[in-house]
Amino acid sequence: MGKKGKKSRKGVGEMYDEAKVDTLLTLTPTARSNLDKQAKELEVSRSEVVERFARGLLNSPGAVVLSDEERAVLGKS
């Protein structure tokens, strides 16, 4: 997903004025399916959905707020 009329070049940021770096994410099948659905709805890649969410440009529908205790339990697994 680049700018219209501009050829993409590896290592050169187009949308965010910085180049993206390869990052491996491990997700459950459910999370991946939900990510795919959001990407399809927004007509962007999975990577772009994660980018927008991490930059605070996209809110997670149906987000679950965990208590400190629940976070602690999940952090131990």
Side-chain angles (χ1 to χ4, degrees):
M1 172 183 195
K3 293 180 181 172
K4 188 173 181 175
K6 224 177 164 189
K7 184 172 176 154
S8 297
R9 292 185 348 210
K10 188 169 178 85
V12 177
E14 294 179 8
M15 295 185 61
Y16 302 106
D17 294 329
E18 59 184 320
K20 291 185 178 183
V21 294
D22 290 338
T23 304
L24 174 69
L25 295 175
T26 306
L27 303 170
T28 63
T30 300
R32 183 175 168 160
S33 174
N34 290 341
L35 184 59
D36 286 341
K37 286 176 190 171
Q38 272 197 298
K40 187 173 182 178
E41 284 176 17
L42 296 170
E43 298 180 348
V44 297
S45 66
R46 288 185 203 131
S47 175
E48 185 60 23
V49 173
V50 173
E51 178 80 25
R52 290 179 186 185
F53 180 76
R55 287 178 174 268
L57 302 173
L58 183 67
N59 292 322
S60 176
V64 178
V65 178
L66 300 176
S67 68
D68 290 339
E69 183 178 308
E70 290 170 318
R71 269 191 227 114
V73 169
L74 288 172
K76 291 179 184 175
S77 37

